[in-house]
Amino acid sequence: PLKFHIQFLTDFDFNFNITWEDFIERILKKFRKPELQIGNKTFDKKYLLQTNNSELFLKVITSSVQNVILTYNIYSLSYQTNIRKERSELMSVIQRHAGNKEMILELIDMFTSIIDTLDRLRVIRKS
C-alpha cells in the first residue's frame, strides 16, 4: 500500500486520528459520547475523528486537506506524539496502489501544508 510516514521533534502533546468510519463504528458511536464533527457533512459521515485537542485539530485539518482526503479516499491519517521521547510522527495509509503522478503531487502538497501548519503553530520543532 501507499503510505506516508514522517517523524518530528516535539515538546507538544498533540494527537489525532482520522480513519474510515465503518458499519461497526456507526453502531458503537450510538453508545459513546458524541464524536468530533468539523462541519463538512461528507467528511464527518465518512471519517471517524479523534483528537486530544480539537481546536488545534481544526487548524491543522483545513478544508483543503479535507478535500484531498476525500478525493483520494485516504484510509487513515494520524499524528501521534511520544512526549517522553520528544518525538512525533505523521502517518497515513492512502490506498493499495501508488496512483498517478498528479495524485502523488497533490498528496505531497497536502502533507507539506499539514507540516507547515504544525511548524507555524510550534507543535513541531526544528532540530
Side-chain angles (χ1 to χ4, degrees):
L2 176 59
K3 297 179 183 181
F4 283 80
H5 183 236
I6 309 154
Q7 295 185 333
F8 306 97
L9 296 173
T10 189
D11 296 321
F12 196 93
D13 186 20
F14 175 54
N15 299 296
F16 70 78
N17 197 26
I18 301 170
T19 56
W20 281 352
E21 188 173 285
D22 62 14
F23 179 73
I24 304 285
E25 285 295 332
R26 287 186 192 122
I27 291 172
L28 290 175
K29 82 178 188 182
K30 302 270 187 215
F31 303 102
R32 285 192 230 158
K33 66 178 184 172
E35 69 175 283
L36 176 64
Q37 301 285 300
I38 57 174
N40 177 334
K41 288 183 182 186
T42 305
F43 194 84
D44 288 337
K45 184 176 180 181
K46 182 168 180 88
Y47 290 99
L48 176 63
L49 312 174
Q50 300 169 312
T51 184
N52 66 338
N53 187 327
S54 56
E55 183 179 326
L56 186 56
F57 177 80
L58 294 172
K59 290 178 182 177
V60 173
I61 306 303
T62 62
S63 61
S64 62
V65 169
Q66 295 166 38
N67 289 337
V68 172
I69 291 171
L70 286 169
T71 298
Y72 295 110
N73 200 26
I74 292 175
Y75 177 73
S76 69
L77 174 66
S78 69
Y79 178 84
Q80 302 298 315
T81 303
N82 184 331
I83 285 295
R84 212 177 63 238
K85 294 183 179 180
E86 297 182 357
R87 300 268 181 206
S88 62
E89 54 189 14
L90 180 63
M91 299 168 288
S92 184
V93 177
I94 313 300
Q95 57 181 278
R96 293 183 188 255
H97 305 288
N100 61 33
K101 180 181 175 181
E102 179 184 328
M103 174 188 164
I104 301 296
L105 291 174
E106 269 193 87
L107 290 169
I108 290 170
D109 286 345
M110 179 191 77
F111 281 100
T112 301
S113 171
I114 291 171
I115 293 165
D116 287 346
T117 302
L118 292 171
D119 183 44
R120 182 175 42 81
L121 296 171
R122 298 181 184 197
V123 174
I124 58 176
R125 67 176 200 250
K126 297 183 169 115
S127 51

